[in-house]
Amino acid sequence: QPQMEAKVAKRDDAPVLSKDLAAFALAFLNGWNDVLNFRLYKAFTLRHTGSTMNLGINSVEGDPLLVKFFLGTLFYYCGGCALFKFLDIKLEGRSLTVAAPVVLALQSMNDQLRNRSPDSKLHMWLLAASNGLLNTAAAEKFGCLTHVITGHYQKVSTDLVLLSVKGLSTEQLRATRKSCLVLLSFFLGAFSAQAGGYLNKSLVAQCSKHRFGILGIFYAAVLLLSEVPASRLFGKALAPPSISTE
């Protein structure tokens, strides 16, 4: 009886989105995010190999404006990472809930500053901070990197070799399926973002003014639903069971 009660209590505490579903949702949004960032800034704010490379190149070439830009990008990204870690330490069990409005605010502020100063790129720093926060949340809370897609391609490729040579355990197969679904989610996000540009032109033009704020709403929703117990939203009787890729 105590074991049964513990299982029921655990299910009641389960969030609306399981760790796996939250990771897939973030991967989809990250694919969308990368397309929007590349269209506007010709850069990516989710990962910073390019930013580091450009910082090195422009330090040698002596371009102070670009050195400032890429140094600021890395500073804001690291600040976002540090901010989530701080929230996670101080607010155990509530870090995602508190981080959600911060992400939305940073994304929306980017839209406001971009609309006021369309020729500037410095407002990209706010997206770097937001993405640092999101990437750290995914790694710390969902146990999955949803922005470093290259690593998932490597994992799937090497796991297929292991599967053909000596087989994979149930846990290994589950991890392989998870990487496949992250890749698919990211691709669908990028595909949807590009396809969305060919919809009703007036609607696209209106949404473009608030593109990152709209994306921030979805990011914030994923963070909130990954921490809010399903029973609080749906009631204990209607709360869905936790879903994973197992």
XYZ file of all heavy atoms in Angstrom, residues 14-102:
690
model
N 4.279 14.768 -11.414
C 4.905 14.785 -12.732
C 4.493 16.035 -13.495
O 3.324 16.424 -13.491
C 4.516 13.535 -13.519
N 5.452 16.706 -14.153
C 5.117 17.923 -14.913
C 4.320 17.595 -16.168
O 4.248 16.437 -16.593
C 6.489 18.498 -15.250
C 7.391 17.307 -15.284
C 6.885 16.374 -14.220
N 3.755 18.618 -16.760
C 2.974 18.434 -17.987
C 3.855 17.853 -19.090
O 3.452 16.932 -19.813
C 2.373 19.778 -18.447
C 1.611 19.605 -19.756
C 1.455 20.343 -17.371
N 5.063 18.385 -19.228
C 6.010 17.887 -20.219
C 7.098 17.077 -19.528
O 7.730 17.558 -18.594
C 6.662 19.041 -20.984
C 5.774 19.870 -21.916
C 6.603 20.962 -22.578
C 5.123 18.997 -22.982
N 7.307 15.860 -19.991
C 8.416 15.070 -19.463
C 9.734 15.660 -19.965
O 9.758 16.527 -20.846
C 8.297 13.617 -19.932
O 8.494 13.539 -21.340
N 10.845 15.188 -19.443
C 12.156 15.687 -19.860
C 12.378 15.472 -21.353
O 12.912 16.342 -22.051
C 13.267 14.998 -19.066
C 13.303 15.383 -17.595
C 14.460 14.690 -16.891
C 14.535 15.101 -15.432
N 15.679 14.458 -14.727
N 11.953 14.308 -21.848
C 12.155 14.018 -23.265
C 11.306 14.922 -24.147
O 11.794 15.490 -25.129
C 11.814 12.550 -23.553
C 12.886 11.600 -23.037
O 13.932 12.092 -22.570
O 12.682 10.380 -23.104
N 10.032 15.070 -23.812
C 9.161 15.917 -24.625
C 9.622 17.376 -24.596
O 9.554 18.079 -25.605
C 7.713 15.813 -24.134
C 6.998 14.495 -24.432
C 5.572 14.539 -23.902
C 6.994 14.192 -25.924
N 10.095 17.822 -23.443
C 10.604 19.190 -23.343
C 11.841 19.368 -24.227
O 12.000 20.397 -24.894
C 10.947 19.509 -21.890
N 12.713 18.359 -24.247
C 13.913 18.433 -25.082
C 13.542 18.495 -26.558
O 14.128 19.263 -27.335
C 14.815 17.227 -24.813
N 12.556 17.699 -26.971
C 12.139 17.710 -28.379
C 11.520 19.058 -28.741
O 11.742 19.584 -29.841
C 11.141 16.585 -28.655
C 11.651 15.207 -28.314
C 10.790 14.208 -27.887
C 13.009 14.919 -28.403
C 11.265 12.951 -27.567
C 13.497 13.650 -28.078
C 12.614 12.668 -27.661
N 10.735 19.614 -27.823
C 10.114 20.924 -28.068
C 11.177 22.006 -28.206
O 11.102 22.861 -29.098
C 9.149 21.267 -26.940
N 12.193 21.970 -27.329
C 13.270 22.961 -27.422
C 14.071 22.790 -28.711
O 14.479 23.775 -29.329
C 14.199 22.848 -26.215
C 13.687 23.422 -24.895
C 14.763 23.307 -23.819
C 13.263 24.875 -25.044
N 14.303 21.549 -29.131
C 15.037 21.310 -30.374
C 14.267 21.895 -31.561
O 14.864 22.515 -32.454
C 15.262 19.809 -30.577
N 12.951 21.718 -31.565
C 12.122 22.286 -32.631
C 12.232 23.812 -32.643
O 12.452 24.431 -33.694
C 10.668 21.867 -32.431
C 9.715 22.467 -33.434
C 9.488 21.832 -34.647
C 9.055 23.653 -33.170
C 8.616 22.384 -35.584
C 8.188 24.212 -34.094
C 7.969 23.576 -35.305
N 12.090 24.421 -31.468
C 12.178 25.882 -31.376
C 13.573 26.383 -31.713
O 13.735 27.463 -32.304
C 11.782 26.328 -29.968
C 10.311 26.083 -29.580
C 10.083 26.423 -28.115
C 9.371 26.885 -30.472
N 14.594 25.603 -31.375
C 15.965 26.006 -31.705
C 16.198 25.996 -33.213
O 16.932 26.837 -33.745
C 16.967 25.084 -31.010
C 17.082 25.358 -29.527
O 16.624 26.389 -29.051
N 17.687 24.443 -28.800
N 15.596 25.020 -33.908
C 15.691 25.009 -35.360
C 15.053 26.249 -35.957
O 15.595 26.880 -36.873
N 13.897 26.632 -35.404
C 13.202 27.855 -35.841
C 14.061 29.084 -35.525
O 14.216 29.981 -36.352
C 11.857 27.931 -35.123
C 10.880 28.909 -35.713
C 11.032 30.256 -35.818
C 9.616 28.609 -36.318
N 9.936 30.820 -36.412
C 9.047 29.836 -36.729
C 8.902 27.438 -36.516
C 7.804 29.918 -37.345
C 7.653 27.518 -37.130
C 7.124 28.733 -37.540
N 14.625 29.089 -34.325
C 15.447 30.202 -33.865
C 16.666 30.414 -34.756
O 17.018 31.548 -35.104
C 15.879 29.931 -32.423
C 16.634 31.089 -31.800
O 16.318 32.243 -32.030
N 17.631 30.786 -31.006
N 17.324 29.335 -35.136
C 18.527 29.446 -35.964
C 18.210 30.077 -37.323
O 18.999 30.885 -37.833
C 19.157 28.066 -36.163
C 20.263 27.785 -35.160
O 20.578 28.687 -34.357
O 20.818 26.673 -35.176
N 17.079 29.692 -37.902
C 16.694 30.266 -39.199
C 16.446 31.766 -39.063
O 16.917 32.574 -39.873
C 15.446 29.562 -39.763
C 14.914 30.310 -40.990
C 15.768 28.116 -40.134
N 15.710 32.169 -38.017
C 15.428 33.594 -37.811
C 16.703 34.385 -37.564
O 16.882 35.491 -38.099
C 14.473 33.767 -36.626
C 13.068 33.170 -36.768
C 12.221 33.528 -35.549
C 12.387 33.639 -38.040
N 17.603 33.824 -36.761
C 18.858 34.512 -36.469
C 19.719 34.664 -37.714
O 20.299 35.726 -37.957
C 19.643 33.740 -35.398
C 19.348 34.227 -34.004
O 19.817 35.273 -33.599
N 18.558 33.464 -33.269
N 19.793 33.607 -38.508
C 20.648 33.662 -39.691
C 20.090 34.647 -40.718
O 20.854 35.357 -41.377
C 20.796 32.277 -40.313
C 21.831 32.223 -41.397
C 23.183 32.267 -41.083
C 21.459 32.158 -42.730
C 24.144 32.237 -42.073
C 22.414 32.129 -43.728
C 23.761 32.168 -43.403
N 18.772 34.672 -40.850
C 18.155 35.627 -41.777
C 18.495 37.069 -41.388
O 18.801 37.904 -42.240
C 16.631 35.467 -41.755
C 16.075 34.353 -42.604
C 14.569 34.406 -42.482
N 13.913 33.323 -43.179
C 12.618 33.079 -43.056
N 11.872 33.831 -42.261
N 12.056 32.082 -43.723
N 18.437 37.343 -40.100
C 18.563 38.726 -39.633
C 20.006 39.139 -39.389
O 20.429 40.232 -39.781
C 17.752 38.909 -38.348
C 17.636 40.333 -37.815
C 16.908 41.217 -38.824
C 16.891 40.338 -36.484
N 20.786 38.274 -38.714
C 22.126 38.660 -38.275
C 23.261 37.962 -39.038
O 24.426 38.302 -38.838
C 22.297 38.349 -36.790
C 21.364 39.118 -35.885
C 20.340 38.478 -35.199
C 21.500 40.492 -35.712
C 19.478 39.184 -34.353
C 20.652 41.206 -34.874
C 19.651 40.544 -34.204
O 18.805 41.246 -33.370
N 22.902 36.969 -39.860
C 23.931 36.144 -40.513
C 24.849 35.523 -39.461
O 26.066 35.388 -39.652
C 24.765 36.969 -41.515
C 23.941 37.628 -42.599
C 23.124 36.630 -43.393
C 22.305 37.322 -44.475
N 21.358 36.399 -45.146
N 24.254 35.147 -38.341
C 25.005 34.559 -37.222
C 24.055 33.688 -36.418
O 22.838 33.711 -36.625
C 25.607 35.652 -36.344
N 24.617 32.917 -35.509
C 23.817 32.049 -34.641
C 24.087 32.424 -33.189
O 25.229 32.674 -32.811
C 24.170 30.578 -34.869
C 23.937 30.114 -36.282
C 25.004 29.900 -37.141
C 22.654 29.902 -36.756
C 24.803 29.474 -38.443
C 22.430 29.477 -38.061
C 23.514 29.272 -38.903
N 23.047 32.432 -32.384
C 23.202 32.784 -30.972
C 23.053 31.582 -30.046
O 23.209 31.721 -28.847
C 22.166 33.854 -30.571
O 20.843 33.352 -30.825
C 22.373 35.129 -31.348
N 22.773 30.421 -30.605
C 22.633 29.220 -29.784
C 23.973 28.550 -29.514
O 24.168 27.911 -28.490
C 21.690 28.221 -30.474
C 20.195 28.518 -30.356
C 19.410 27.694 -31.375
C 19.691 28.218 -28.951
N 24.910 28.675 -30.425
C 26.239 28.071 -30.265
C 27.269 29.075 -30.760
O 26.971 29.884 -31.642
C 26.334 26.756 -31.030
C 25.895 26.851 -32.470
C 25.658 25.466 -33.065
N 25.219 25.558 -34.447
C 23.970 25.789 -34.813
N 23.042 25.965 -33.894
N 23.633 25.844 -36.085
N 28.475 28.984 -30.228
C 29.383 30.115 -30.424
C 30.780 29.736 -30.899
O 31.750 30.431 -30.612
C 29.439 30.937 -29.134
C 28.136 31.615 -28.867
N 27.777 32.789 -29.484
C 27.082 31.242 -28.107
C 26.562 33.138 -29.089
N 26.123 32.211 -28.256
N 30.849 28.657 -31.659
C 32.107 28.355 -32.342
C 32.447 29.484 -33.312
O 33.584 29.971 -33.364
C 31.993 27.027 -33.116
O 31.615 25.985 -32.218
C 33.319 26.681 -33.780
N 31.437 29.931 -34.068
C 31.641 31.009 -35.031
C 32.001 32.322 -34.365
O 32.847 33.072 -34.862
N 31.341 32.611 -33.231
C 31.636 33.858 -32.520
C 33.082 33.874 -32.024
O 33.775 34.892 -32.115
C 30.679 34.022 -31.334
O 29.342 34.146 -31.769
N 33.537 32.742 -31.496
C 34.912 32.646 -31.005
C 35.909 32.770 -32.153
O 36.936 33.454 -32.040
C 35.117 31.314 -30.267
O 34.126 31.177 -29.254
C 36.494 31.248 -29.632
N 35.592 32.097 -33.274
C 36.454 32.181 -34.452
C 36.533 33.618 -34.963
O 37.626 34.133 -35.252
C 35.904 31.269 -35.556
C 36.708 31.311 -36.846
S 35.853 30.461 -38.200
C 34.497 31.610 -38.503
N 35.375 34.276 -35.053
C 35.355 35.663 -35.542
C 36.065 36.614 -34.586
O 36.690 37.589 -35.030
C 33.912 36.120 -35.746
C 33.359 35.719 -37.099
O 33.817 36.187 -38.129
N 32.385 34.818 -37.085
N 35.977 36.342 -33.296
C 36.691 37.169 -32.328
C 38.195 37.072 -32.559
O 38.909 38.087 -32.544
C 36.334 36.731 -30.901
C 37.045 37.490 -29.775
C 36.701 38.974 -29.815
C 36.667 36.887 -28.417
N 38.682 35.853 -32.785
C 40.104 35.666 -33.052
C 40.550 36.336 -34.337
O 41.580 37.026 -34.378
N 39.760 36.151 -35.407
C 40.108 36.728 -36.707
C 40.151 38.248 -36.629
O 41.109 38.894 -37.093
C 39.091 36.279 -37.779
C 39.263 34.786 -38.076
C 39.256 37.104 -39.058
C 38.200 34.221 -38.985
N 39.110 38.848 -36.042
C 39.029 40.309 -36.021
C 39.984 40.940 -35.012
O 40.311 42.122 -35.132
C 37.591 40.743 -35.744
C 36.677 40.484 -36.932
O 36.772 41.144 -37.948
N 35.819 39.476 -36.806
N 40.429 40.147 -34.035
C 41.463 40.649 -33.130
C 42.775 40.826 -33.881
O 43.518 41.793 -33.656
C 41.655 39.680 -31.949
O 40.502 39.621 -31.147
N 43.051 39.887 -34.789
C 44.256 39.992 -35.606
C 44.115 41.101 -36.642
O 45.048 41.890 -36.867
C 44.544 38.647 -36.318
C 45.708 38.797 -37.297
C 44.850 37.571 -35.287
N 42.931 41.193 -37.263
C 42.710 42.194 -38.313
C 42.571 43.607 -37.748
O 42.638 44.589 -38.490
C 41.452 41.833 -39.113
C 41.561 40.527 -39.880
C 42.677 40.545 -40.911
O 42.878 41.606 -41.540
O 43.342 39.504 -41.075
N 42.335 43.704 -36.442
C 42.276 45.023 -35.809
C 40.995 45.790 -36.075
O 41.033 47.022 -36.216
N 39.867 45.075 -36.135
C 38.572 45.732 -36.322
C 37.911 45.879 -34.952
O 37.310 44.920 -34.445
C 37.685 44.915 -37.262
C 36.432 45.659 -37.677
O 35.892 46.417 -36.844
O 35.978 45.482 -38.813
N 37.999 47.039 -34.319
C 37.500 47.189 -32.949
C 35.995 47.007 -32.814
O 35.511 46.498 -31.790
C 37.916 48.619 -32.570
C 38.074 49.325 -33.875
C 38.561 48.301 -34.836
N 35.216 47.386 -33.836
C 33.760 47.250 -33.755
C 33.342 45.781 -33.739
O 32.481 45.375 -32.950
C 33.092 47.982 -34.928
C 33.176 49.511 -34.891
C 32.500 50.104 -36.123
C 32.530 50.055 -33.613
N 33.969 44.980 -34.607
C 33.632 43.557 -34.646
C 34.177 42.825 -33.423
O 33.543 41.886 -32.930
C 34.160 42.930 -35.938
C 33.385 43.314 -37.206
C 34.041 42.703 -38.439
C 31.928 42.870 -37.103
N 35.342 43.232 -32.941
C 35.865 42.641 -31.702
C 34.895 42.905 -30.549
O 34.574 42.004 -29.771
C 37.262 43.213 -31.372
C 37.678 42.830 -29.949
C 38.289 42.705 -32.376
N 34.410 44.137 -30.462
C 33.429 44.494 -29.429
C 32.154 43.676 -29.578
O 31.609 43.159 -28.588
C 33.103 45.978 -29.531
C 31.957 46.425 -28.638
C 31.563 47.869 -28.922
C 30.309 48.265 -28.147
N 29.873 49.650 -28.463
N 31.687 43.523 -30.813
C 30.438 42.804 -31.057
C 30.542 41.349 -30.627
O 29.684 40.840 -29.890
C 30.062 42.888 -32.542
C 28.862 42.066 -32.903
C 27.593 42.438 -32.486
C 28.996 40.908 -33.654
C 26.476 41.682 -32.820
C 27.899 40.146 -33.987
C 26.634 40.525 -33.574
N 31.575 40.653 -31.069
C 31.690 39.226 -30.762
C 32.088 38.986 -29.307
O 31.662 38.004 -28.697
C 32.673 38.556 -31.723
C 32.124 38.420 -33.112
C 32.642 39.161 -34.161
C 31.065 37.568 -33.367
C 32.119 39.048 -35.441
C 30.532 37.440 -34.640
C 31.053 38.191 -35.683
N 32.879 39.886 -28.736
C 33.212 39.768 -27.320
C 31.953 39.952 -26.479
O 31.713 39.210 -25.514
C 34.262 40.814 -26.945
C 34.919 40.667 -25.567
C 35.647 39.336 -25.467
C 35.894 41.813 -25.315
N 31.124 40.922 -26.856
C 29.866 41.145 -26.153
C 28.921 39.972 -26.295
O 28.221 39.593 -25.346
N 28.888 39.366 -27.486
C 28.040 38.199 -27.720
C 28.416 37.067 -26.779
O 27.542 36.436 -26.156
C 28.164 37.727 -29.185
O 27.750 38.779 -30.058
C 27.308 36.504 -29.434
N 29.713 36.793 -26.662
C 30.175 35.717 -25.770
C 29.912 36.065 -24.306
O 29.529 35.193 -23.508
C 31.668 35.470 -25.995
C 32.042 34.904 -27.372
C 33.550 34.884 -27.559
C 31.460 33.505 -27.543
N 30.096 37.333 -23.948
C 29.866 37.769 -22.572
C 28.392 37.587 -22.192
O 28.080 37.060 -21.118
C 30.269 39.236 -22.417
C 29.990 39.799 -21.047
C 30.855 39.548 -19.993
C 28.850 40.562 -20.807
C 30.595 40.053 -18.722
C 28.581 41.069 -19.550
C 29.451 40.816 -18.506
N 27.494 38.003 -23.052
C 26.067 37.882 -22.757
C 25.623 36.416 -22.728
O 24.784 36.022 -21.903
C 25.239 38.662 -23.778
C 25.031 40.104 -23.404
C 26.063 41.033 -23.546
C 23.820 40.546 -22.886
C 25.896 42.361 -23.191
C 23.639 41.874 -22.529
C 24.674 42.776 -22.686
O 24.495 44.094 -22.332
N 26.185 35.610 -23.632
C 25.833 34.180 -23.634
C 26.263 33.523 -22.324
O 25.477 32.805 -21.689
C 26.491 33.472 -24.819
C 26.194 31.993 -24.865
C 24.989 31.517 -25.376
C 27.107 31.066 -24.367
C 24.714 30.165 -25.396
C 26.835 29.715 -24.391
C 25.630 29.260 -24.906
O 25.349 27.912 -24.922
N 27.492 33.765 -21.928
C 27.988 33.199 -20.667
C 27.198 33.734 -19.482
O 26.949 33.009 -18.510
C 29.471 33.511 -20.491
S 30.545 32.678 -21.685
N 26.778 34.996 -19.572
C 25.944 35.559 -18.516
C 24.619 34.834 -18.393
O 24.128 34.582 -17.286
N 24.013 34.479 -19.538
C 22.766 33.712 -19.512
C 22.958 32.334 -18.899
O 22.128 31.864 -18.111
N 24.065 31.679 -19.249
C 24.378 30.364 -18.661
C 24.527 30.478 -17.147
O 23.983 29.668 -16.391
C 25.664 29.816 -19.269
S 25.598 29.481 -21.037
N 25.290 31.480 -16.713
C 25.537 31.669 -15.283
C 24.246 32.010 -14.534
O 24.032 31.556 -13.413
C 26.574 32.771 -15.074
N 23.392 32.806 -15.179
C 22.138 33.198 -14.532
C 21.266 31.994 -14.249
O 20.710 31.868 -13.149
C 21.378 34.193 -15.413
C 19.994 34.616 -14.898
C 20.096 35.253 -13.523
C 19.320 35.552 -15.891
N 21.148 31.076 -15.217
C 20.305 29.901 -14.947
C 20.907 29.039 -13.848
O 20.179 28.515 -13.001
C 20.088 29.051 -16.193
C 19.166 27.899 -15.907
C 17.798 28.080 -15.871
C 19.677 26.640 -15.595
C 16.944 27.036 -15.553
C 18.838 25.591 -15.267
C 17.460 25.791 -15.254
N 22.219 28.875 -13.861
C 22.857 28.059 -12.822
C 22.602 28.662 -11.448
O 22.326 27.945 -10.478
C 24.361 27.947 -13.090
C 25.066 26.955 -12.180
C 24.526 25.548 -12.397
C 25.247 24.522 -11.534
N 24.730 23.158 -11.735
N 22.679 29.993 -11.359
C 22.411 30.681 -10.099
C 20.966 30.431 -9.660
O 20.706 30.119 -8.482
C 22.664 32.179 -10.267
C 22.311 32.998 -9.048
C 23.180 33.056 -7.972
C 21.116 33.690 -8.978
C 22.852 33.800 -6.839
C 20.780 34.431 -7.864
C 21.650 34.489 -6.787
N 20.028 30.564 -10.585
C 18.615 30.331 -10.266
C 18.383 28.886 -9.823
O 17.600 28.619 -8.908
C 17.742 30.647 -11.479
C 17.668 32.115 -11.915
C 16.859 32.245 -13.203
C 17.059 32.978 -10.817
N 19.070 27.972 -10.477
C 18.888 26.554 -10.161
C 19.397 26.220 -8.761
O 18.839 25.373 -8.063
C 19.616 25.707 -11.210
C 19.158 24.256 -11.189
O 17.975 24.012 -10.895
O 19.989 23.376 -11.475
N 20.472 26.899 -8.353
C 21.026 26.661 -7.022
C 20.140 27.289 -5.945
O 19.860 26.675 -4.909
C 22.462 27.224 -6.927
C 23.409 26.439 -7.836
C 22.964 27.182 -5.475
C 24.792 27.043 -7.942
N 19.687 28.503 -6.215
C 18.915 29.247 -5.215
C 17.444 28.845 -5.162
O 16.817 28.959 -4.101
C 19.016 30.749 -5.493
C 20.412 31.336 -5.324
C 20.847 31.268 -3.863
C 22.196 31.944 -3.663
N 22.624 31.932 -2.236
N 16.900 28.391 -6.274
C 15.460 28.123 -6.352
C 15.202 26.690 -6.791
O 14.645 26.429 -7.852
C 14.792 29.084 -7.340
C 15.003 30.570 -7.090
C 14.481 31.383 -8.273
C 14.298 31.005 -5.806
N 15.605 25.748 -5.976
C 15.433 24.342 -6.313
C 13.953 24.031 -6.540
O 13.109 24.319 -5.713
C 15.980 23.456 -5.193
C 17.490 23.521 -5.051
C 18.005 22.547 -4.016
O 17.213 21.683 -3.589
O 19.173 22.659 -3.628
N 13.673 23.453 -7.708
C 12.300 23.092 -8.028
C 11.497 24.201 -8.661
O 10.369 23.983 -9.112
N 12.073 25.430 -8.739
C 11.342 26.549 -9.333
C 12.173 27.324 -10.347
O 11.744 28.359 -10.841
C 10.873 27.516 -8.232
C 9.834 26.943 -7.297
C 9.259 28.003 -6.381
N 10.267 28.564 -5.487
C 10.617 29.845 -5.443
N 10.041 30.712 -6.254
N 11.531 30.279 -4.600
N 13.341 26.816 -10.675
C 14.247 27.567 -11.555
C 13.671 27.754 -12.956
O 13.802 28.822 -13.557
C 15.606 26.875 -11.636
O 15.474 25.529 -12.070
N 13.006 26.728 -13.501
C 12.433 26.847 -14.838
C 11.277 27.837 -14.847
O 11.119 28.612 -15.798
C 11.958 25.482 -15.334
C 13.042 24.421 -15.563
C 12.411 23.104 -15.963
C 14.032 24.881 -16.625
N 10.488 27.811 -13.791
C 9.349 28.730 -13.690
C 9.809 30.176 -13.629
O 9.207 31.065 -14.247
C 8.508 28.391 -12.441
O 8.069 27.026 -12.526
C 7.295 29.299 -12.328
N 10.876 30.428 -12.898
C 11.407 31.791 -12.785
C 12.139 32.199 -14.055
O 12.087 33.364 -14.473
C 12.351 31.892 -11.568
C 13.016 33.249 -11.510
C 11.565 31.634 -10.277
N 12.808 31.238 -14.691
C 13.566 31.551 -15.905
C 12.649 31.880 -17.086
O 13.043 32.654 -17.972
C 14.468 30.376 -16.266
N 11.449 31.316 -17.106
C 10.539 31.495 -18.242
C 10.261 32.970 -18.564
O 10.443 33.401 -19.713
C 9.236 30.731 -18.010
N 9.827 33.782 -17.584
C 9.580 35.199 -17.912
C 10.852 35.970 -18.253
O 10.795 36.963 -18.986
C 8.920 35.742 -16.641
C 9.314 34.813 -15.554
C 9.430 33.463 -16.204
N 11.999 35.524 -17.740
C 13.264 36.180 -18.077
C 13.564 35.977 -19.564
O 13.955 36.912 -20.277
C 14.422 35.633 -17.212
C 15.746 36.275 -17.626
C 14.152 35.891 -15.733
